[in-house]
Amino acid sequence: DEICTQVRKLFGKAHFDCVAPVPCGHSKGNTCLSVLVSKKLASKLDVAFIDALRGVKREGTSHPAKNADLKKPKLATKQRYNSVLLVDDVATSGRHIELSVQALSEIAQHVTAIAWIGSV
């Protein structure tokens, strides 16, 4: 609810066509936090959820020093979009977001990226 409220305050109610997650890297399966948050946010914003990016599965644990060798995720769709909201659950170096924006820019006129870091 908090993310949805902030997105609406910043961008307006109908600014985005869809919400897409930064692809999972070290997380197992399609249950990483960026996917879960993106699905819920898309539902609350009443827009489509698109799993538009395919990341490269990485072994071990996430570490900022390893971000330099990341590859741009591959597109999982050729569908065109006007405006995509890209969601990541955390931004350490910003490299995942940067590469994901580059990939989505091939199918979207506008890509806006957010990383949501919250606490209780």
Side-chain angles (χ1 to χ4, degrees), residues 13-54:
K13 188 172 182 174
H15 183 77
F16 300 102
D17 299 330
C18 56
V19 177
V22 167
C24 302
H26 289 87
S27 302
K28 304 294 184 231
N30 213 17
T31 59
C32 63
L33 192 53
S34 63
V35 171
L36 298 175
V37 169
S38 296
K39 284 181 178 179
K40 189 66 146 182
L41 183 57
S43 174
K44 291 200 170 284
L45 292 172
D46 197 27
V47 298
F49 165 82
I50 61 167
D51 198 6
L53 300 171
R54 297 287 175 250

Side-chain angles (χ1 to χ4, degrees), residues 8-114:
R8 284 185 172 150
K9 276 184 186 178
L10 289 169
F11 304 107
K13 188 172 182 174
H15 183 77
F16 300 102
D17 299 330
C18 56
V19 177
V22 167
C24 302
H26 289 87
S27 302
K28 304 294 184 231
N30 213 17
T31 59
C32 63
L33 192 53
S34 63
V35 171
L36 298 175
V37 169
S38 296
K39 284 181 178 179
K40 189 66 146 182
L41 183 57
S43 174
K44 291 200 170 284
L45 292 172
D46 197 27
V47 298
F49 165 82
I50 61 167
D51 198 6
L53 300 171
R54 297 287 175 250
V56 176
K57 190 69 175 154
R58 298 172 62 93
E59 296 300 320
T61 58
S62 178
H63 191 280
K66 296 179 182 178
N67 287 342
D69 68 346
L70 285 175
K71 304 286 187 258
K72 183 169 78 170
K74 298 201 182 305
L75 290 170
T77 181
K78 294 196 186 287
Q79 173 81 34
R80 308 278 312 157
Y81 297 94
N82 181 44
S83 187
V84 176
L85 178 61
L86 175 69
V87 177
D88 202 353
D89 57 326
V90 66
T92 306
S93 69
R95 187 74 175 142
H96 287 105
I97 294 171
E98 177 186 7
L99 293 170
S100 295
V101 167
Q102 287 175 10
L104 284 173
S105 292
E106 296 175 26
I107 61 167
Q109 282 191 312
H110 306 282
V111 180
T112 303
I114 63 169

